[in-house]
């Protein structure tokens, strides 16, 4: 893992070192905890920083035969957890965790040893000693990785107090909220939906007794997010929803679920369809970009879900025939002249070409790459997944207009994922040049690499 890691040709090396490597990071989709940035949080150990909420690592540890108490239990010491992770790392070869682990050790701590049971104690001690330094606080880690802006993932009822406090502190890295209204359309959970409506009512100051009241409350929160720098929405959906409905039907469905009655599957799909259109129109009026992450089957393990809750490593890729619904949803907004900038992320790689061709249906010439194929997401944000996504986009769209990579992570040590992506990107272009498939125009290629790494996102989101 030297300076030319993943860079298989001289052209790739030149493109990376002279162009990609120097670009700042715009991490436009992540799950950082805003309070950590506001408080300039200091981590007690490498275990807290690395294993505190990383379900990627937990999945690998469980697969390696590690007991759950070394993954998620709070009554296990930091050293014991780290030791079990170190025992697991050698078995992760050819899994992206192996590369990510050593990139993070190298770029954050300057450690080039391979993590194993034999090196675990030395690496643990060295990392923990360095974490005592102010250089390893949350904000300084962001500075270290040349981060220019991050967009967190936030519920409409969030106060955004930590975003406000961070901005008012004068911190030079922008931390902006992202509107994630999934709970406002989760009518399959009757009690949970009613509880959420009560919270939405309280924070918005709107008394909610009907559908129009809910819309008014959500609009107030949407305005509040915009006032605090929000430029993106995000939607975590199993599949796209595009059922036909009438306003009267949606109002009746709201009254039914708000009154405590369960809905039919047809009613659930109609309500979700209406909400996606509503949110899309709101985003269009603000000039935001809307993101759709679809295709996951979440919380597969009921036993562990009851013990640990969501986002603990029991989700997987799903199979959904969603192309027609996606097309109909986008077409509905487009027909109303209310289709805003849109990024589509698929979790199942079998949909790569579906997404790459869907983009071209709704590009309108107003801005470059208005409809985007999102970077390899979740199980696909590794070398093979990123290459497949970029190859599909190259063949069926314009890779040169791609807005590039994001971390999708809760960890402040995940920024090397941008480096991993940029090295993979440069290797794709460099290999094509040296195979005689692209012209060796270093100036144009260099600018293209810089655009995909940074400038495209900066212009697209208006940072």
């Amino acid at each position: 893992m030297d300076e030319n890691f993943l860079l298989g040709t001289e052209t790739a090396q030149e493109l990376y070192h002279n162009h990609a490597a120097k670009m700042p990071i715009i991490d436009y989709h992540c799950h950082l905890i805003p309070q950590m940035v506001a408080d300039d949080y200091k981590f007690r150990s490498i275990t807290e920083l690395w294993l505190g909420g990383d379900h990627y690592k937990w999945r690998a540890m469980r697969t390696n035969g590690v007991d759950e108490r070394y993954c998620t239990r709070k009554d296990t010491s930091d050293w014991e957890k780290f030791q079990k992770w170190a025992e697991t790392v050698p078995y992760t070869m050819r899994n992206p965790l192996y590369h990510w682990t050593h990139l993070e050790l190298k770029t954050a701590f300057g450690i080039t040893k391979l993590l194993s049971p034999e090196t675990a104690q030395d690496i643990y001690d060295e990392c923990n000693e360095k974490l005592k330094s102010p250089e390893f606080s949350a904000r300084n880690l962001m500075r270290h990785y040349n981060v220019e802006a991050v967009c967190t993932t936030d519920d409409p009822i969030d106060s955004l107090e930590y975003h406000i406090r961070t901005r008012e502190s004068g911190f030079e890295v922008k931390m902006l909220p992202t509107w994630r209204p999934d709970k406002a359309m989760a009518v399959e959970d009757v009690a949970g939906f009613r509880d959420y409506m009560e919270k939405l009512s309280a924070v918005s100051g709107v008394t909610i007794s009907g559908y129009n009241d809910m819309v008014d409350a959500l609009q107030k929160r949407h305005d509040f997010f915009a006032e605090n720098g929000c430029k993106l929405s995000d939607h975590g959906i199993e599949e796209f929803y595009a059922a036909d409905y009438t306003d009267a039907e949606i109002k009746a469905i709201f009254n039914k679920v708000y009154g405590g009655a369960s809905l039919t599957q047809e009613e659930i799909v109609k309500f979700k369809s209406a909400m996606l259109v509503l949110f899309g129109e709101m985003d269009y009026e603000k000039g935001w970009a809307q993101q759709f992450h679809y295709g996951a089957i979440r919380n597969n393990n009921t036993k562990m879900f009851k013990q640990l809750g969501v986002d603990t490593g029991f989700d997987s890729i799903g199979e959904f025939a969603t192309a027609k619904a996606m097309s109909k949803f986008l077409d509905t907004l487009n027909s109303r002249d209310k289709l805003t900038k849109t990024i589509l992320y698929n979790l199942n790689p079998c949909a790569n070409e579906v997404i790459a061709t869907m983009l071209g249906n709704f590009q309108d010439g107003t801005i470059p790459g208005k409809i985007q194929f999102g970077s390899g997401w979740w199980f696909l944000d590794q070398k093979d997944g990123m290459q497949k996504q970029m190859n599909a986009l190259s063949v069926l769209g314009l890779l040169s207009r791609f807005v590039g990579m994001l971390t999708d992570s809760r960890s402040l040590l995940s920024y090397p994922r941008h480096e991993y992506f940029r090295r993979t990107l440069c290797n794709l272009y460099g290999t094509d040049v040296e195979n005689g498939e692209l012209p060796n125009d270093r100036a144009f290629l260099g600018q293209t690499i810089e655009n995909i790494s940074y400038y495209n996102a900066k212009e697209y989101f208006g940072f």
Side-chain angles (χ1 to χ4, degrees):
M1 197 173 279
D2 62 10
E3 64 178 8
N4 291 325
F5 174 59
L6 299 182
L7 305 172
T9 65
E10 182 273 332
T11 305
Q13 294 165 15
E14 193 273 337
L15 290 174
Y16 177 74
H17 294 301
N18 293 340
H19 298 282
K22 66 182 182 181
M23 291 294 104
I25 287 175
I26 293 178
D27 198 32
Y28 58 88
H29 175 69
C30 72
H31 296 275
L32 284 182
I33 300 172
Q35 184 175 0
M36 285 188 169
V37 181
D39 293 344
D40 200 13
Y41 190 81
K42 296 175 179 61
F43 296 88
R44 69 174 183 269
S45 71
I46 182 62
T47 304
E48 182 189 20
L49 181 55
W50 245 4
L51 296 166
D54 193 338
H55 52 80
Y56 289 84
K57 292 186 177 74
W58 295 341
R59 282 172 69 97
M61 291 166 73
R62 293 171 187 139
T63 304
N64 201 44
V66 174
D67 188 83
E68 188 63 33
R69 70 189 183 94
Y70 297 105
C71 300
T72 57
R73 304 288 163 76
K74 294 182 179 180
D75 58 351
T76 306
S77 72
D78 283 0
W79 162 245
E80 289 176 301
K81 290 179 178 179
F82 185 85
Q83 189 177 33
K84 290 298 182 182
W85 171 236
E87 291 175 5
T88 300
V89 166
Y91 294 94
T92 66
M93 286 187 186
R94 303 204 81 244
N95 182 296
L97 283 166
Y98 192 78
H99 285 163
W100 292 345
T101 294
H102 293 102
L103 270 177
E104 291 171 15
L105 284 174
K106 180 180 179 181
T107 59
F109 298 98
I111 294 173
T112 56
K113 296 177 186 175
L114 297 180
L115 182 57
S116 69
E118 291 72 31
T119 61
Q121 187 69 64
D122 288 345
I123 290 175
Y124 182 77
D125 291 342
E126 183 174 350
C127 288
N128 287 346
E129 187 61 33
K130 289 182 176 179
L131 283 172
K132 295 176 183 178
S133 168
E135 295 177 16
F136 287 84
S137 69
R139 294 189 183 189
N140 281 328
L141 281 169
M142 298 171 80
R143 293 181 176 112
H144 173 75
Y145 282 112
N146 196 20
V147 177
E148 183 174 295
V150 297
C151 296
T152 58
T153 305
D154 310 281
D155 192 281
I157 66 174
D158 194 288
S159 68
L160 304 184
E161 60 184 292
Y162 300 114
H163 297 81
I164 295 168
R165 180 145 61 88
T166 299
R167 182 180 70 243
E168 292 179 347
S169 74
F171 183 42
E172 67 275 15
V173 178
K174 293 179 182 177
M175 182 175 69
L176 305 177
T178 296
W179 169 267
R180 178 76 173 252
D182 296 354
K183 292 180 180 178
M185 53 189 279
V187 288
E188 64 275 17
D189 178 2
V190 177
F193 182 76
R194 177 62 188 250
D195 180 66
Y196 185 78
M197 287 297 106
E198 292 175 355
K199 292 177 180 177
L200 175 63
S201 176
V203 74
S204 66
V206 175
T207 300
I208 296 177
S209 58
Y211 177 74
N212 288 341
D213 299 327
M214 180 196 71
V215 173
D216 290 343
L218 287 168
Q219 186 66 65
K220 282 196 170 187
R221 299 307 296 168
H222 201 269
D223 295 342
F224 174 71
F225 269 55
E227 291 165 6
N228 284 283
C230 184
K231 296 179 182 293
L232 298 94
S233 70
D234 182 50
H235 307 266
I237 52 179
E238 276 197 351
E239 53 187 312
F240 279 84
Y241 307 99
D244 294 326
Y245 59 86
T246 65
D247 290 344
E249 283 180 310
I250 300 306
K251 291 176 181 177
I253 291 169
F254 178 88
N255 290 338
K256 182 178 177 180
V257 68
Y258 193 67
S262 296
L263 302 178
T264 66
Q265 185 60 31
E266 181 183 10
E267 289 171 328
I268 291 170
V269 172
K270 284 190 175 186
F271 192 85
K272 289 179 182 289
S273 300
M275 295 303 290
L276 283 184
V277 172
L278 172 68
F279 292 137
E281 291 179 340
M282 284 184 177
D283 292 351
Y284 174 83
E285 297 298 334
K286 294 285 198 315
W288 290 2
Q290 57 180 353
Q291 302 174 94
F292 296 93
H293 289 84
Y294 83 94
I297 303 177
R298 299 175 186 270
N299 308 317
N300 293 267
N301 189 324
T302 303
K303 176 183 175 182
M304 295 309 292
F305 173 70
K306 290 179 178 178
Q307 289 183 28
L308 302 174
V310 299
D311 300 325
T312 51
F314 300 97
D315 311 308
S316 60
I317 293 173
E319 293 178 312
F320 303 96
T322 194
K324 285 187 176 180
M326 181 195 307
S327 174
K328 185 177 178 181
F329 164 69
L330 294 172
D331 190 52
T332 297
L333 291 174
N334 192 60
S335 297
R336 300 179 184 183
D337 293 322
K338 290 191 175 182
L339 179 58
T340 193
K341 294 174 287 189
T342 302
I343 308 177
L344 304 170
Y345 306 83
N346 58 292
L347 192 56
N348 194 324
C350 75
N352 282 351
E353 284 73 20
V354 172
I355 297 292
T357 55
M358 188 67 68
L359 310 180
N361 297 332
F362 299 101
Q363 307 287 14
D364 59 13
T366 56
I367 61 170
K370 176 180 176 179
I371 314 299
Q372 288 276 329
F373 184 0
S375 60
W377 166 51
W378 201 341
F379 296 108
L380 306 181
D381 62 353
Q382 28 71 16
K383 180 184 173 184
D384 180 64
M386 292 188 295
Q387 286 177 332
K388 287 178 178 176
Q389 183 267 349
M390 288 190 280
N391 282 329
L393 179 55
S394 298
V395 171
L396 301 168
L398 296 180
L399 179 61
S400 56
R401 293 302 189 180
F402 180 33
V403 294
M405 191 56 177
L406 45 87
T407 63
D408 190 32
S409 174
R410 292 164 178 77
S411 173
L412 284 155
L413 283 190
S414 290
Y415 295 116
R417 293 185 190 181
H418 285 264
E419 176 181 338
Y420 199 63
F421 165 81
R422 293 174 183 183
R423 287 177 179 271
T424 302
L425 170 70
C426 291
N427 196 56
L428 285 178
Y429 274 97
T431 299
D432 283 355
V433 168
E434 300 207 8
N435 284 343
E437 298 177 36
L438 292 178
N440 192 10
D441 184 342
R442 297 295 177 93
F444 184 80
L445 290 172
Q447 187 60 60
T448 299
I449 294 298
E450 292 182 12
N451 289 345
I452 297 171
S453 299
Y454 171 71
Y455 288 111
N456 286 351
K458 188 176 180 71
E459 293 181 16
Y460 188 81
F461 299 116
F463 290 141

